[in-house]
Amino acid sequence: MKKIGVFTSGGDAPGMNAAIRAVVRTCFYNNIQPYGIYEGYKGLIEGDIHPLTSKDVSNIIQRGGTFLKSARCKEFHTKEGRQEAYNNIKKYELDGIVAIGGDGTFTGAKIFNSEFSIPFVGLPGTIDNDLFGTDYTIGYDTALNTVIEAVDKIRDTANSHNRLFIVEVMGRDAGFIALRSGIAVGAEAILVPETQTYINELVTKLESGTKNHKNSMIVIVAEGDDAGGAYKVAEKVKEHCPNYDSRVTILGHIQRGGSPSAMDRVLASRLGNAAVDALLANKTNIMIGVVNNEITYIPFSKATKHHQKLNADLLKLAEVLSF
Ligand code: F6P
């Protein structure tokens, strides 16, 4: 293996830069020339591919976002787009590719792999944590910490005004961010897409909070919850409890930015290093994760979302502690 390309794709996640750095530095350690592919699959199709130096990845481990930039690329969904990507891989003589991204990235990689035989490994980079085959994805821990910092502040104002806050967090159609952040902020209720939401049960919970003289109440809603987003939930609660002084906060893209946490920097560094080692060991068509603190390999087809389940113990914990 003489040349390896690396790209980031899909929604950016804190720690992606740390992963790129680890790929690049491990390449040089093994006398391999790394290439940066800009804007994910788009750069692969358009030939936006450039050799990287070790210096190019200095001073980026602590930065959020991705210096290789990211995109969600429609052209890669077409056979012609994938053919162009293949042509560029050949043109630049790349012997292997490291793709850092989420579900969409690996679905694309899986299709590409079935058409063209190019060594391809993936690293889980998404704040959503919705990939099977890894306990944590790069960016999830930082996003959790961002949510916690924001909701702690909301709690101060909620307490001062005896208010109910309905806070919406990201996660597309998964509830991982909602569940863990909800436990960490002591939320009175957590609504996730993985379990059916019943507004009457939520109202009963809130009323028992009022009876217990709670000064403030926080409901964390995952953006993909079946009851709708935070505004929808607030509306429905209002129908049952018109006297509640309630407010809605949508945390939005603040959750995707910021300097990666120690957990994410170390996870990304381990995975970036393991990606190059895996290519050198002739592994392909796999996502690399960490399970029980060990590096693991899983076929792209198994990694994609809806396989990963919310931890039942954490769901129960949230229920017990919010009582
Ligand atoms: O997958 C990461 C994520 O932030 C999801 O949590 C969210 O639903 C989505 O991306 C938002 O995507 P975009 O930035 O393209 O609006």
Side-chain angles (χ1 to χ4, degrees):
M1 207 150 280
K2 297 262 180 290
K3 294 178 182 176
I4 287 180
V6 56
F7 68 82
T8 47
S9 166
D12 64 325
M16 279 183 161
N17 279 327
I20 300 164
R21 171 180 176 270
V23 169
V24 169
R25 294 272 163 94
T26 309
C27 277
F28 283 117
Y29 184 84
N30 289 288
N31 294 317
I32 296 167
Q33 173 60 55
Y35 279 73
I37 301 162
Y38 286 78
E39 290 189 67
Y41 287 117
K42 183 167 178 273
L44 207 51
I45 292 172
E46 293 175 1
D48 198 357
I49 301 170
H50 306 273
L52 293 171
T53 65
S54 191
K55 184 92 184 25
D56 286 333
V57 293
S58 291
N59 202 18
I60 64 165
I61 194 168
Q62 76 279 27
R63 292 183 201 276
T66 157
F67 92 102
L68 288 179
K69 299 189 177 290
S70 195
R72 303 191 200 277
C73 174
K74 287 209 179 74
E75 290 81 4
F76 201 72
H77 291 262
T78 67
K79 177 88 190 166
E80 295 73 34
R82 294 193 293 275
Q83 181 65 53
E84 279 303 310
Y86 176 76
N87 296 346
N88 280 321
I89 290 173
K90 287 287 149 201
K91 179 173 163 198
Y92 287 88
E93 298 176 326
L94 302 178
D95 303 308
I97 305 283
V98 180
I100 307 166
D103 182 69
T105 307
F106 302 147
T107 304
K110 195 172 58 186
I111 298 169
F112 188 69
N113 240 285
S114 67
E115 295 169 342
F116 307 98
S117 172
I118 297 286
F120 220 102
V121 299
L123 301 183
T126 166
I127 63 165
D128 299 343
N129 205 44
D130 59 348
L131 292 163
F132 186 75
T134 190
D135 288 343
Y136 302 106
T137 55
I138 298 165
Y140 175 56
D141 183 65
T142 308
L144 283 179
N145 284 303
T146 300
V147 172
I148 290 165
E149 193 186 338
V151 178
D152 285 350
K153 288 176 179 166
I154 289 171
R155 182 71 88 170
D156 289 345
T157 175
N159 249 314
S160 307
H161 288 269
N162 297 329
R163 275 180 179 161
L164 160 69
F165 269 82
I166 321 265
V167 181
E168 184 178 304
V169 299
M170 276 186 167
R172 202 179 289 273
D173 43 18
F176 294 94
I177 297 177
L179 179 57
R180 264 186 198 253
S181 67
I183 291 171
V185 299
E188 275 60 34
I190 303 169
L191 310 183
V192 291
E194 290 83 352
T195 60
Q196 178 82 40
T197 295
Y198 299 102
I199 292 296
N200 55 338
E201 280 180 10
L202 172 64
V203 167
T204 308
K205 239 182 215 176
L206 296 176
E207 282 176 344
S208 89
T210 311
K211 277 193 203 113
N212 289 337
H213 307 291
K214 289 202 175 196
N215 287 328
S216 62
M217 285 189 284
I218 304 275
V219 176
I220 301 282
V221 186
E223 63 177 335
D225 186 70
D226 56 286
Y231 279 107
K232 270 264 151 29
V233 172
E235 242 172 58
K236 289 176 189 167
V237 169
K238 195 96 195 151
E239 283 166 19
H240 292 82
C241 317
N243 296 331
Y244 278 7
D245 188 10
S246 63
R247 294 289 185 276
V248 168
T249 302
I250 314 264
L251 292 182
H253 285 79
I254 186 177
Q255 294 160 93
R256 287 241 295 264
S259 180
S261 65
M263 287 281 287
D264 276 327
R265 294 182 198 195
V266 175
L267 175 68
S269 299
R270 287 183 76 187
L271 291 175
N273 171 262
V276 176
D277 285 351
L279 285 172
L280 284 171
N282 294 322
K283 292 190 165 69
T284 182
N285 211 10
I286 46 155
M287 185 196 86
I288 304 173
V290 169
V291 175
N292 294 332
N293 209 21
E294 298 279 343
I295 295 287
T296 51
Y297 311 94
I298 185 163
F300 283 136
S301 54
K302 288 205 176 147
T304 44
K305 71 185 166 198
H306 300 305
H307 292 291
Q308 178 77 299
K309 298 261 181 304
L310 281 185
N311 182 318
D313 290 345
L314 289 186
L315 281 167
K316 177 77 186 159
L317 181 69
E319 192 63 32
V320 171
L321 300 188
S322 64
F323 190 66

